[in-house]
Amino acid sequence: MRLTDEIQDQFLYRGQAVYLDLAFSTVMKLQDLENDDQLSDISKISIGLQMLIKNYDEIEIPDLMTKINMYKFIVSEFISLKDEQEAQEQTPNESEKYDSGAEIFDYHEDAERLYASFLVDYNIDLIEQKHTLHWYKFIALFRGLSKDTPMKEAIYYRTVKIPAETKYNKEHVQQLRKAKNAVKLKKQTNTLQSGLAKASQFLKGSR
């Protein structure tokens, strides 16, 4: 995100403007949708497009493959979790200290931590702003949270590696284990990209 650029939340499809709802709550609902085991991958994409496109009823999408490609385009070009991935990456000097394979956060399980952290650091009430705070702004603010907020503390303990226990650090190691267990995520979540991959694979197999 650049402060000198306008936030882009629309694109042209066959000469027609497609207007997107990119409030952070919409993107979070997409993540919930992806993890709904009651729906097929194709259904998730159809519902996802209706959630994302404000003028969905005015857009003619001729076939299923076009729907998948459009959804993929929106996710990669407008939602793309590049910022999120960058936030999770560690520098080479930090690689020995942090576990890069650890699950870092979940928007559902961490809802209270996120709410409290944004309120403390920015005086932003995420419930009041759920339809107005843009996804890009949310990500930028999320990454800028101070280290002593509930969310950043949880991320720290989830990612920090536990050193080998010795007689000198036994108490510290025990405290780390206790802290990691306290903030451990309960479930593995799917990503929007994984859902797209499964839907594309389904289409290939049905031909």
Side-chain angles (χ1 to χ4, degrees), residues 56-175:
Y56 181 81
D57 292 337
E58 302 171 8
I59 306 298
E60 293 186 10
I61 308 176
D63 52 51
L64 188 55
M65 182 55 77
T66 304
K67 279 189 176 183
I68 291 176
N69 288 336
M70 181 177 287
Y71 188 71
K72 184 176 182 180
F73 172 76
I74 294 172
V75 169
S76 63
E77 296 299 321
F78 293 92
I79 297 174
S80 181
L81 304 181
K82 291 176 183 177
D83 284 343
E84 179 179 318
Q85 292 164 1
E86 289 172 4
Q88 296 183 18
E89 290 176 355
Q90 306 294 338
T91 64
N93 291 334
E94 295 174 317
S95 62
E96 294 183 0
K97 185 177 179 181
Y98 297 99
D99 181 2
S100 60
E103 288 295 318
I104 292 184
F105 60 88
D106 177 271
Y107 296 124
H108 181 68
E109 291 189 41
D110 287 320
E112 290 186 5
R113 291 187 182 95
L114 279 170
Y115 180 84
S117 298
F118 271 65
L119 199 60
V120 168
D121 261 13
Y122 308 120
N123 197 29
I124 292 177
D125 187 317
L126 288 179
I127 294 176
E128 292 180 356
Q129 298 292 322
K130 64 182 179 180
H131 297 305
T132 54
L133 183 60
H134 197 282
W135 173 240
Y136 298 166
K137 295 179 181 180
F138 171 84
I139 287 295
L141 293 170
F142 177 88
R143 296 180 65 182
L145 286 171
S146 55
K147 63 181 181 180
D148 57 346
T149 55
M151 188 68 257
K152 280 300 181 74
E153 283 186 353
I155 290 175
Y156 168 76
Y157 284 115
R158 286 170 187 163
T159 56
V160 69
K161 285 184 178 180
I162 298 179
E165 185 175 316
T166 68
K167 63 180 180 180
Y168 302 106
N169 69 355
K170 184 176 181 179
E171 184 177 349
H172 174 64
V173 168
Q174 290 175 345
Q175 290 175 345

